[in-house]
Amino acid sequence: MLFQHRRVSIFLAVLCTVFSVMPLAGAHRKAAVPVGPDKIIYVPHDNRPISDKQTAAVVRKLGYDVVVPPDELLGSRNDLGHPEALWQWLEQNAAGAKAAVISSDSLLYGSLVGSRKHTYTQQEIAARAERFAQFHKEFPKLKLYSFGSIMRTPRTGEASGHEEPEYYRNYGADIFRYTLLKDKQEVEGLTRREKKEYAFLEQLIPQKSLRDWLGRRDKNFAANKQLIDLTKNNVFSYFVLGRDDNAPYSQTHLESRHLAEYGRALGKSQFQAMAGIDEIGMLLLTRAVNDLRSEMPFVYTRYNWGRGEFTVPSYSDERIRDSIEDAIYAAGGMAVRSPEKADLVLLVNTNPNGKTYEANDRANNGTPREGTTYFADIVSENVAKGYPVAIADIAYANGADNALMEELKNRGLLFKLKAYAGWNTATNSTGFVLGEGMLVKHMQNDDIDDLLLTRYLDDWAYQANVRNTMARQLTWLRGDGFYGSLDGKMQAVQYRSQRMLTRFVEENLPPMRTLEELSITFPWNRMFESDITHTAHVEPEYHITKLSKAAE
C-alpha cells in the first residue's frame, strides 16, 4: 500500500508540472498589459507657472504621471475659471489614479482669484462642496488631498494687484485697518481711541462695498467649514486651509482662528490651517508621494543668526519657525534636531534684525550685509559634510537675496545644493523648497540641476534683477501698457527681458553643456510673474559630487 501511495503521489506531481507549463487556451492571443507609471491627478488653483507646471514638473521627475487640467479650464488673471467644467474633467480622469491633489478653490469658485471676485450663491457653492462626498463614493480607493484658501486681506488697494473687486483700489487700506481692529477687538480688546477709529471707518467705507466684501467672505467661511466636515467624514485624506497674504491682525487671521478651532478635533494628522497658499499644492503633492512610498522624510532646520526662527515675515501673521513646522507636517515629514539623521537640511536665510524687505529694494544690490557671510559659511559647512542641503531664501520677499547668491556663486555652491527657493512670500519659498527638497533624493543629478536652474532663473535672475531693471525701462518703450498690464508693450518687454536673462546666465551661472532654449513670456500680462523656458545641463564639475575649494 505504501508503494502504491508513492506511485500516486509521483503521478500527481508530474501531472501538476505538465499543466503548469502548458499555455492557457487563448493565451497566444493576449498581449501582456504594460504597467505604466503611477497616476496622480493635480488640480492647481490657477494656471500661473509656479502654481501649475513648475509644481507638477517636480513630481514628474520622479516618474509619476501627473495629470493636470488644460490651461483653458484653469483660472487666470482675467478668467475666473470654470468649476463645472473642472468637475467634469476630474470625474473623467479619476479612473486609475493613485492619488488626487485638488484645489477646493478651483472646484468651488473656478480659481484662487475667483474665490475673491465670484458672484455664486451660497447654495451653488455648498452643492459643489458636497460633490466631493459623491466623488469619494464613486472612487473610494482614490486618496484625496485638498487645499483651499482663507481669503486674503491686502494692506492696500495697490497691494491687491487688481485681484480684488474694483472698490478695493480706493478703500483697500481702510478695509484692512477696519478688519485689523475687528480682529484685535476679539483677541485683546481696543483702546478708547481705537474704538472711535473703528466706528469712523465703519461710516467711511461705502456700506455697499463693505457688504459685498464681507458677504463673499461669509460664503467662503461657510464653505471651508463644510470642507472641514467632509474631512471629519474621511472624504479627504488630508485637508489644508492656507492663509493667503495676511498680517498678525486682519480678517484673514480672525477667520483662521475660528476655522482652526472648528477643526481642532481632527488634529494635524488630517487637517491644518496654516500660513501661505501658493506653495500648498507642492506640499500636498509631496505628501501624496510620501504616502505612496510609505516614507516620512526627516528634516533638520537651521536659521541665520539674530532673530532667525522668531522672524515674523511680511505677508504673514506668525513666526517663520511655526510656518516651517506646519509645512514639514503637511508634506508628510518630521522635524528632527540633528542634521546627521536628516533626509534634508533646510537652511533659512533671514535678516539678523528679523525684518523682511522687498527684492526691488535698493539695498538688494549684491553688497554683503550683516549676516551674509555668516550664513554662507553655514551653507559651505553643511555641504562639505555631505548633507543634503536646501536653502529657503527669505531675507527679501518676491525675489532672491543678491548678496547671498553672489557668495554662493563665488564659493561654487550653486549646484551643490539639493533645492532652493526665493520667490514671492516667505511661506511660499519655505513651503515650496521643503516639498521639493523632500523628493529630490529619488531624482537623478541632472533632474536636480534642472530644478535648481528653474529657480535661479526665476527667483534670482528675473525676480531680483531683470524685473526691476525692466520696470525702470518701461516708460521708454512704445505702446500702451504699464507694470501691471503690459498690453502693447508685451513683445518689447519679452525681447528685452530675454536678452537680459541670457546675459545674466553668462555672467553668473556655471558653464552649461547646452543652452539650446531660453525664453520668457508673461502669461498674466504683467511683470510680477514670468514663465521662463530653458533647456540646459550644468557641467559635471559643478555638481554635488565634487566639493568646491571653498567648501573643502
Side-chain angles (χ1 to χ4, degrees), residues 31-46:
V33 178
V35 179
D38 284 344
K39 175 180 172 183
I40 299 177
I41 292 173
Y42 176 48
V43 181
H45 55 213
D46 55 41

Side-chain angles (χ1 to χ4, degrees), residues 4 73 124 129 141 164 219 231 285 294 371 374 406 425 450 491 514 523:
Q4 288 180 341
L73 294 187
E124 288 176 301
K141 294 184 179 180
E164 299 287 330
K219 295 175 186 177
T231 309
L285 277 170
S294 299
Y374 179 85
E406 191 70 19
T425 69
D450 187 65
Q491 190 172 357
T514 59

